[in-house]
Amino acid sequence: MIQEVFLIQFLSVFSFSDVDWSYWPFGEGMTGSWILTLTKFIFIGVILAVILGFLRVLFGPKGFFRDEEMDREAEEERQRVREAVDVLRQRLANGEITEDEFQRRKWLLEK
């Protein structure tokens, strides 16, 4: 009995009877009930997620409007870094530089 009364009181907090949904999501600003405010934030989050997803499909990896030149330039830069790190490894193996100097230069190249 006590559990049922508690459950009814708890669920009454989520009652939508006192909420005016007539102008949702554009009415009352943040002065409405907490349910209106929460649903507005959720609505904004959903809209932002849709926009981000749409942009990712258009301009993300293998996107319809992705610039091929940017991908090519990025791959060339990664290749140059790999070659420079290989040269550093060779210099380390020959004893021309120390391990600390190798790590520092490698970190600067990959940064």
Side-chain angles (χ1 to χ4, degrees):
M1 180 67 181
I2 293 174
Q3 293 169 343
E4 292 172 359
V5 171
F6 175 73
L7 183 61
I8 290 171
Q9 288 177 346
F10 178 74
L11 292 177
S12 69
V13 170
F14 298 103
S15 170
F16 296 115
S17 62
D18 62 336
V19 177
D20 181 20
W21 292 93
S22 58
Y23 296 108
W24 187 88
F26 306 109
E28 297 188 35
M30 298 301 177
T31 59
S33 72
W34 66 273
I35 295 173
L36 278 175
T37 303
L38 181 65
T39 56
K40 286 179 188 182
F41 281 124
I42 292 171
F43 179 71
I44 291 168
V46 167
I47 295 298
L48 286 175
V50 167
I51 291 171
L52 291 175
F54 185 67
L55 289 174
R56 173 125 173 122
V57 167
L58 293 179
F59 298 103
K62 300 185 195 255
F64 297 114
F65 297 120
R66 183 153 177 111
D67 188 10
E68 303 288 328
E69 181 72 16
M70 289 175 56
D71 289 337
R72 187 184 57 76
E73 289 173 357
E75 184 56 40
E76 287 175 359
E77 181 63 28
R78 283 192 290 270
Q79 183 62 31
R80 279 194 291 266
V81 167
R82 276 182 276 200
E83 290 170 0
V85 169
D86 288 341
V87 168
L88 282 177
R89 280 195 183 101
Q90 185 64 34
R91 289 183 66 194
L92 177 65
N94 293 340
E96 298 174 16
I97 60 175
T98 65
E99 179 70 30
D100 291 337
E101 189 175 358
F102 169 75
Q103 291 297 332
R104 187 175 68 249
R105 289 185 181 184
K106 181 181 171 198
W107 180 78
L108 286 173
L109 284 171
E110 293 175 344
K111 184 172 147 185

